Amino acid sequence: MKPVAILGCGMVTGVGLDARSSCTAMRAALTAFEETRFTDGGHDPIIGSEVPLEKPWRGVAKLARMVAPAIRECLTAAAKAQTASIPLLLCVAEKERPGRLADIDDEILSEIQAILDCRFHQRSRVIANGRVGGAEAVAQARAMIQEERIPLCVVAGVDSFLVGPTIAAYVRQHRLLTNDNSNGFIPGEAGAAVLIGPVNDTATAEFRCVAIGFGHERATINSEEPLRADGLVEAFRGLDRDGGMTLNDADYRYTDCNGEQYGFKSDRLAISRVLRRLKARFDHLHPADSIGEIGAAVVPCMLGLALTGAQRNYAPGDGVLCHCSNDEGGRAAIILRRTRRDGSR
């Protein structure tokens, strides 16, 4: 399919309450990791990255107040467009997530609209597929813009791992980073959003989503099957089928690797199987270094980081690969490129 443009972004993270401060902090490798009220099996505090909200909100109310400011921020790029003409595609935790809020699917869109005092397009929806949901939302937004002539879409994500039942489940599975487990992740939380629209060939420079690929992995993190990264390889090869892109069209990459060895091993295996021309440099960046595991918010966060790097001219190149996975085997990859008016890349 044809490309679409990433026009604006917004973020609320543990290191910043807007995109500018969050991106600056993550670029500087700053963190907000602190001891939380949760403990591991040995009664040591769990380290996490918490968003500093003005009140101790809980449940759907907390998630809505993390993502609503990010949505408002990204809408500043929508000029005078009415929100009633803009679908909101909101990514949340997958239904299999331990400790997932039971009422999130039914309540969060209404809560967000109440906070923002607006109504979004009737095609707005919740996408409950964790980290991979963000790539699915971008694909759906692209289809709405190109096939249904919807002018703009907001792709947003919000998630929190700092929930008692969630922490307890991952402690039992030995998946959190603790004093006794170095092969684990730091739980975090965040809200992030990007504004997506049609390309503008008269723009001086534009940041575009040029290809999306999906795959499915049988050897998941909880599986005993040998890992060959078949799902991520399938997603990478899907980039060529979708937009004629390969990994050689990307200069660096953002991924959802969160500190667990499984994610890094999968990344290395897939890259080695698909990349056919040696790169002198292929930087590997991951937001979890600064803000921990943020689940369904990670794809909008990565897109916002890449957009900001392109706009402020500190990105390692014009092309960026973003890829993500979820525990149930879903895999997705996106290639984005900064294009210039003369057509150069």
Side-chain angles (χ1 to χ4, degrees):
M1 296 182 72
K2 295 180 180 178
V4 288
I6 311 297
L7 303 174
C9 66
M11 289 184 208
V12 174
T13 71
V15 294
L17 298 182
D18 57 31
R20 184 182 183 91
S21 58
S22 293
C23 292
T24 299
M26 283 187 263
R27 185 188 180 201
L30 300 180
T31 71
F33 299 145
E34 296 180 344
E35 293 182 354
T36 68
R37 65 186 185 279
F38 306 108
T39 59
D40 61 18
H43 304 291
D44 291 321
I46 295 290
I47 301 299
S49 178
E50 187 171 6
V51 172
L53 298 176
E54 59 182 6
K55 293 183 180 180
W57 303 100
R58 293 289 182 267
V60 173
K62 176 181 179 177
L63 295 179
R65 282 162 178 80
M66 282 199 295
V67 75
I71 294 170
R72 182 189 291 115
E73 184 182 6
C74 86
L75 284 172
T76 59
K80 297 181 180 180
Q82 298 296 311
T83 56
S85 67
I86 303 175
L88 169 60
L89 307 181
L90 181 66
C91 305
V92 299
E94 57 272 50
K95 295 184 183 298
E96 300 82 3
R97 167 80 61 77
R100 184 183 191 269
L101 299 172
D103 51 357
I104 187 171
D105 298 324
D106 297 327
E107 297 182 7
I108 192 165
L109 285 180
S110 297
E111 187 87 12
I112 290 169
Q113 290 177 128
I115 294 169
L116 296 176
D117 191 24
C118 72
R119 298 291 297 179
F120 287 98
H121 192 281
Q122 61 183 2
R123 292 293 303 280
S124 299
R125 65 189 66 165
V126 171
I127 300 173
N129 201 15
R131 295 187 295 265
V132 172
E136 295 174 351
V138 173
Q140 291 182 25
R142 182 178 64 173
M144 288 181 179
I145 291 167
Q146 296 181 353
E147 298 173 6
E148 303 176 36
R149 299 294 186 261
I150 288 177
L152 297 166
C153 284
V154 171
V155 169
V158 64
D159 211 339
S160 176
F161 283 74
L162 297 174
V163 179
T166 303
I167 293 288
Y170 286 117
V171 166
R172 288 194 299 270
Q173 296 173 25
H174 304 288
R175 291 189 57 188
L176 294 187
L177 182 66
T178 66
N179 292 333
D180 298 324
N181 181 33
S182 60
N183 179 21
F185 65 83
I186 295 176
E189 58 186 11
V194 290
L195 182 70
I196 299 178
V199 300
N200 179 2
D201 291 326
T202 66
T204 303
E206 196 168 53
F207 195 61
R208 299 176 179 177
C209 170
V210 294
I212 308 174
F214 295 94
H216 184 79
E217 177 63 57
R218 293 178 57 189
T220 63
I221 193 168
N222 296 315
S223 167
E224 296 183 359
E225 294 192 34
L227 177 63
R228 299 180 64 250
D230 290 334
L232 197 51
V233 167
E234 182 183 353
F236 288 165
R237 290 174 176 164
L239 297 169
D240 189 15
R241 295 190 296 270
D242 182 71
M245 293 284 124
T246 70
L247 299 193
N248 288 108
D249 293 298
D251 301 297
Y252 67 106
R253 64 197 194 272
Y254 275 108
T255 79
D256 63 349
C257 291
N258 61 10
E260 294 180 288
Q261 296 173 11
Y262 176 90
F264 290 101
K265 183 178 180 181
S266 181
D267 172 86
R268 290 194 301 271
L269 283 170
I271 294 291
S272 66
R273 290 180 58 187
V274 177
L275 189 64
R276 296 306 182 192
R277 189 169 71 246
L278 182 65
K279 286 179 174 289
R281 180 178 178 181
F282 199 20
D283 290 359
H284 184 190
L285 310 172
H286 14 83
D289 283 356
S290 289
I291 56 177
E293 172 61 78
I294 58 171
V298 73
V299 168
C301 180
M302 291 192 292
L303 298 185
L305 285 163
L307 172 66
T308 302
Q311 290 176 333
R312 300 179 69 181
N313 295 309
Y314 62 73
D318 286 339
V320 54
L321 166 71
C322 297
H323 69 74
C324 56
S325 62
N326 63 25
D327 290 351
E328 288 67 48
R331 300 290 185 269
I334 303 173
I335 285 186
L336 307 107
R337 291 198 66 86
R338 177 174 58 176
T339 59
R340 308 175 197 278
R341 191 169 183 176
D342 60 5
S344 64
R345 294 181 173 182

